Amino acid sequence: MGKKRWRLGHKTALLMTVLILEGACLGAAAGMLPIGVQKDWSYRDVHEAAEHEAVKADSGEAEKVVALTFDDGPHEKYTALLLDGLKERGVKVTFFLMGENIEGKEKLVRRMQNEGHLIGNHSYRHIQLTKEGEGTVCEAVEQTEEVIEGITGERPRYLRPPYGDWNENLECQLDMTTVFWSVDSLDWKLKDVGKIVENVEKKVSSGDIVLMHDIFPTSVEAALMLVDRLREKGYEFVTVEELLID
Ligand code: NI
């Protein structure tokens, strides 16, 4: 069930290339620190390091698509609100769930599945995977696979590493596709509906994967507002899988 089985369209190939480059950028950013300086990576640092130019889809296409993605959930209250709003609007998104946040929220995970959203893996807790031994990483990813499969009956095939931090030495991704993002909404930092919406609207174009987090009320409100506003501009919303395999 690896990438190779998929028909790689023009757009997909482009997107994959950019995603690989993004991984390289992160590596470079980490490598640029002066020797001897112990860098304490924070959530903010790595998210900022990961921000880069938007991925552009074929400009000739009439259809404009964007994939909204939500990390770090599920959250009892805000994920539920988001699901309500998306259902009302008939919009499908992608959730990258954090294993340790799932317990007690199995209903929300079932809802995601029943309502047609794509469920991916965001590891078990928010660890920086390249700082861990391969065994620990694989265990954290596998543990989350099992928790999700136990609820939905399906093993997620898409992995978004915490902080977008990954490299090819982390071999346990063999059967999974690693998905980064092309637009960081900065919702985790801005925590302001208007600013989040403005930031995404300014950067987004067709074919983009937008990073958001369904654990903040401002993110959920901004996401629903974005759906309405981008729709007015002719955008359709797809899951990451629909965007990648087209
Ligand atoms: Ni995260």
Side-chain angles (χ1 to χ4, degrees):
M1 301 288 275
K3 290 176 210 167
K4 293 190 190 90
R5 273 189 50 180
W6 297 347
R7 182 176 51 83
L8 285 183
H10 180 100
K11 191 160 93 182
T12 309
L14 172 70
L15 187 56
M16 292 307 229
T17 308
V18 175
L19 295 181
I20 290 160
L21 285 175
E22 178 177 52
C25 282
L26 273 168
M32 281 185 316
L33 295 166
I35 296 161
V37 174
Q38 202 45 38
K39 176 69 180 165
D40 179 24
W41 285 104
S42 69
Y43 191 67
R44 167 173 302 214
D45 289 332
V46 187
H47 277 79
E48 279 179 353
E51 210 185 344
H52 67 100
E53 286 303 304
V55 177
K56 307 290 179 193
D58 293 354
S59 54
E61 284 182 33
E63 189 186 69
K64 292 200 280 186
V65 292
V66 65
L68 297 182
T69 66
F70 297 88
D71 289 8
D72 297 1
H75 185 285
E76 187 69 52
K77 188 172 172 189
Y78 306 129
T79 304
L81 283 174
L82 178 61
L83 286 169
D84 291 344
L86 294 172
K87 191 177 179 187
E88 239 169 69
R89 292 162 175 80
V91 165
K92 312 278 186 274
V93 302
T94 305
F95 290 95
F96 290 98
L97 303 183
M98 181 132 287
E100 69 173 357
N101 289 342
I102 295 175
E103 203 187 333
K105 304 175 196 100
E106 292 81 358
K107 263 190 187 167
L108 287 172
V109 179
R110 249 172 252 125
R111 253 193 92 179
M112 289 171 187
Q113 183 186 36
N114 292 340
E115 294 172 13
H117 303 292
L118 181 66
I119 299 173
N121 184 328
H122 195 46
S123 181
Y124 198 77
R125 41 184 82 83
H126 227 270
I127 52 171
Q128 204 177 338
L129 298 178
T130 55
K131 294 276 167 73
E132 304 289 331
E134 197 182 311
T136 311
V137 171
C138 294
E139 204 180 293
V141 172
E142 178 57 29
Q143 208 178 347
T144 304
E145 287 291 279
E146 285 170 12
V147 172
I148 296 172
E149 189 182 13
I151 299 168
T152 64
E154 281 176 39
R155 273 177 81 81
R157 290 187 293 160
Y158 298 88
L159 172 70
R160 172 169 284 159
Y163 311 107
D165 186 36
W166 193 255
N167 65 44
E168 70 275 15
N169 298 327
L170 300 168
E171 293 293 341
C172 55
Q173 68 159 328
L174 282 179
D175 281 347
M176 302 188 81
T177 300
T178 310
V179 178
F180 297 95
W181 57 87
S182 53
V183 172
D184 187 346
S185 69
L186 300 176
D187 62 335
W188 51 274
K189 180 165 83 171
L190 297 170
K191 306 261 187 71
D192 176 294
V193 177
K195 285 181 185 165
I196 298 167
V197 169
E198 188 192 341
N199 178 49
V200 175
E201 273 196 304
K202 195 172 65 191
K203 295 179 190 166
V204 79
S205 64
S206 186
D208 272 328
I209 296 176
V210 181
L211 171 68
M212 302 191 82
H213 301 81
D214 52 325
I215 54 170
F216 306 116
T218 43
S219 301
V220 169
E221 205 181 315
L224 297 175
M225 196 180 281
L226 273 167
V227 166
D228 296 337
R229 292 175 70 138
L230 292 178
R231 259 196 176 154
E232 276 171 27
K233 294 183 181 175
Y235 280 91
E236 284 180 30
F237 296 88
V238 294
T239 64
V240 159
E241 183 164 63
E242 290 166 327
L243 189 75
L244 293 176
I245 65 178
D246 200 36

